[in-house]
Amino acid sequence: MATVRTSLDTAASADEAWAVIRDIGAVHTRLAPGFVTDTKLEPGARVVTFINGMVIREPIVTIDDEARRLVWTAEGGYATHYNASLQVSARADGGATVVWVADFLPDDVKPQLTRALEAGTRAMKQSLDKLVK
């Protein structure tokens, strides 16, 4: 199983960043606009439309407020198996670090998923940085 890990540092506080990430129905407006163009909620899942037109159903595994961690899987797209998490950690300077880890099969889709996670991480950083006045 292959893994892609990206991270970003933002001046937004961990609480501010987590509030945006845990709002699972607003990926296209709050977390990653420009990377995600639409998000629709279903019972236990969200359906996400990406900038390239790909539509993926993402069952939500957990929203852990104490750990500031969101975990989901994906149905559709490049991978036959996909499990991912976003986790927010506070930094000593008052900002936050967000780590996105995705585990998937088959291994040979790693180049496509690496590009996607990197683009998504850039979009998230832009949105989270805008939270700081």
Side-chain angles (χ1 to χ4, degrees):
M1 185 172 300
T3 299
V4 174
R5 180 184 186 278
T6 65
S7 66
L8 66 91
D9 290 323
T10 180
S13 72
D15 287 341
E16 291 169 322
W18 176 241
V20 172
I21 289 168
R22 78 168 324 282
D23 188 0
I24 61 169
V27 180
H28 63 300
T29 58
R30 294 187 70 194
L31 181 60
F35 177 66
V36 173
T37 60
D38 191 37
T39 310
K40 294 190 180 355
L41 291 178
E42 295 181 347
R46 63 185 175 195
V47 178
V48 179
T49 304
F50 294 89
I51 190 73
N52 65 359
M54 185 177 292
V55 178
I56 296 178
R57 184 173 185 276
E58 297 181 342
I60 304 301
V61 175
T62 191
I63 300 172
D64 183 339
D65 288 319
E66 186 176 331
R68 292 189 193 109
R69 184 170 176 259
L70 170 66
V71 179
W72 70 97
T73 63
E75 300 167 352
Y78 301 115
T80 58
H81 170 82
Y82 181 94
N83 189 80
S85 65
L86 280 174
Q87 187 158 12
V88 180
S89 301
R91 291 197 327 266
D93 66 1
T97 298
V98 178
V99 176
W100 185 358
V101 178
D103 299 310
F104 52 87
L105 292 169
D107 293 352
D108 63 359
V109 299
K110 188 171 185 173
Q112 296 96 317
L113 289 177
T114 298
R115 285 191 299 273
L117 267 67
E118 288 172 349
T121 299
R122 286 190 301 272
M124 287 190 290
K125 179 166 176 50
Q126 288 178 349
S127 294
L128 294 174
D129 284 351
K130 288 180 184 176
L131 297 174
V132 180
K133 308 275 188 258

